[in-house]
């Protein structure tokens, strides 16, 4: 199946600094990628939907100036957590939409392994 | 409004027994339904989906799910559980966009 990589897998940064997380689709082109945040008690929260070549669509309550998303190519999307604070510590996951042979996105996504961000 | 409910935070099953992980949904129109699994220290993996057709959908690793329109459910099942099935399972439904359930931790005991 399709593979999505995410880098780094873990990052520790100091409060006030910025961190960039990369998400790559390795063997397919992803016009749409998604960024999620997973909380300790399991739930998966969609942060934003990223479309190649256009601005990301952020979910309600997600600060677009804090979580900068760039989807500059069909295989790469990046999430930059700006001026990180301890409350931003979390598990961030990206996924890429699979349009399959029909070219129509039904909802199936391929996920990266996630990035554990710790802000000290 | 769209919603997905996984009523059980955790399900415990003995190895070799059948397992069921429950999911109910609310969406206008025809639902697209999905199950994903997250193994420890690994990314989420697609298990199976229902778009249309046969109500019983077969997926990866021997899992299957039954779409029940009248009960608005899409429960995940496996006839004989393995210890290696222990993981976090997510149900999702797509209406206007993909909505995720809270997840169910499945523990299979030897």
């Amino acid at each position: 199946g399709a593979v999505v990589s995410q880098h780094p897998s873990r990052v520790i940064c100091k409060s006030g600094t910025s961190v960039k997380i990369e998400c790559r689709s390795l063997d397919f082109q992803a016009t749409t990628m998604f960024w999620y945040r997973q909380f300790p008690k399991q739930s998966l929260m969609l942060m934003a939907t990223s479309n190649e070549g256009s601005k990301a669509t952020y979910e309600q309550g997600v600060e677009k100036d804090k979580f900068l998303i760039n989807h500059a190519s069909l295989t790469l999307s990046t999430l930059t957590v700006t001026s990180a604070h301890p409350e931003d510590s979390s598990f961030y996951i990206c996924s890429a939409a699979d349009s399959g042979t029909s070219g129509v996105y039904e909802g199936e996504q391929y996920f990266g392994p996630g990035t554990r961000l710790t802000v000290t | 409004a769209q919603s997905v409910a996984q009523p059980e935070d955790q399900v415990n099953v003995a190895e070799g027994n059948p397992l069921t992980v429950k999911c109910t949904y609310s969406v206008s129109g025809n639902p697209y339904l999905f199950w994903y699994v997250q193994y420890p220290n690994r990314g989420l993996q697609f298990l199976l989906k229902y778009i249309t057709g046969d109500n019983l959908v077969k997926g990866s690793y021997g899992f299957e799910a039954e779409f029940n329109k009248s009960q608005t459910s899409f429960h995940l099942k496996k006839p004989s559980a393995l210890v290696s099935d222990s993981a976090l399972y997510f149900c999702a439904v797509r209406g206007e966009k993909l909505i995720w359930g809270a997840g169910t931790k499945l523990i299979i005991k030897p």
Side-chain angles (χ1 to χ4, degrees):
Chain A
V3 179
V4 174
S5 71
Q6 212 172 316
H7 178 80
S9 57
R10 290 178 179 272
V11 58
I12 300 172
C13 71
K14 292 187 177 180
S15 186
T17 62
S18 296
V19 173
K20 180 185 282 189
I21 302 170
E22 291 187 350
C23 178
R24 293 180 185 273
S25 58
L26 297 185
D27 50 4
F28 69 105
Q29 293 183 329
T31 54
T32 303
M33 288 185 171
F34 305 89
W35 286 96
Y36 293 87
R37 187 171 174 177
Q38 187 172 27
F39 294 97
K41 293 219 170 190
Q42 306 172 4
S43 62
L44 205 65
M45 184 192 85
L46 177 65
M47 300 175 65
T49 301
S50 164
N51 291 296
E52 186 265 338
S54 63
K55 290 184 178 181
T57 303
Y58 289 82
E59 295 299 304
Q60 192 172 8
V62 178
E63 299 176 61
K64 60 182 181 181
D65 294 330
K66 181 167 185 63
F67 298 100
L68 300 179
I69 291 172
N70 185 286
H71 193 162
S73 78
L74 288 172
T75 59
L76 174 64
S77 178
T78 61
L79 167 68
T80 301
V81 183
T82 62
S83 187
H85 292 286
E87 58 265 31
D88 298 325
S89 298
S90 193
F91 193 55
Y92 293 88
I93 307 172
C94 73
S95 71
D98 176 25
S99 299
T101 55
S102 68
V104 176
Y105 173 58
E106 295 175 331
E108 186 172 340
Q109 298 177 19
Y110 292 105
F111 284 83
T115 297
R116 174 73 60 193
L117 170 63
T118 303
V119 184
T120 60
Chain B
Q2 291 178 222
S3 66
V4 178
Q6 291 182 244
E8 303 151 317
D9 289 339
Q10 183 169 310
V11 171
N12 298 302
V13 177
E15 187 176 27
N17 283 0
L19 69 86
T20 298
V21 183
K22 295 179 180 178
C23 172
T24 58
Y25 66 90
S26 174
V27 65
S28 57
N30 295 320
Y32 290 4
L33 295 156
F34 302 83
W35 275 103
Y36 285 82
V37 59
Q38 185 178 31
Y39 295 104
N41 302 316
R42 290 168 62 179
L44 279 85
Q45 296 177 36
F46 168 78
L47 268 182
L48 51 79
K49 67 180 178 183
Y50 172 84
I51 304 298
T52 186
D54 197 347
N55 289 345
L56 185 64
V57 179
K58 295 188 182 297
S60 306
Y61 311 121
F63 283 92
E64 58 188 29
E66 185 167 13
F67 170 61
N68 188 317
K69 188 173 183 178
S70 62
Q71 296 185 5
T72 61
S73 67
F74 190 56
H75 300 332
L76 182 70
K77 300 180 180 183
K78 187 171 182 180
S80 179
L82 300 172
V83 173
S84 57
D85 293 328
S86 298
L88 194 53
Y89 290 81
F90 291 93
C91 179
V93 62
R94 182 172 182 229
E96 294 180 356
K97 56 184 176 181
L98 200 61
I99 301 297
W100 295 83
T104 299
K105 187 174 185 180
L106 177 63
I107 298 177
I108 309 300
K109 297 186 177 179

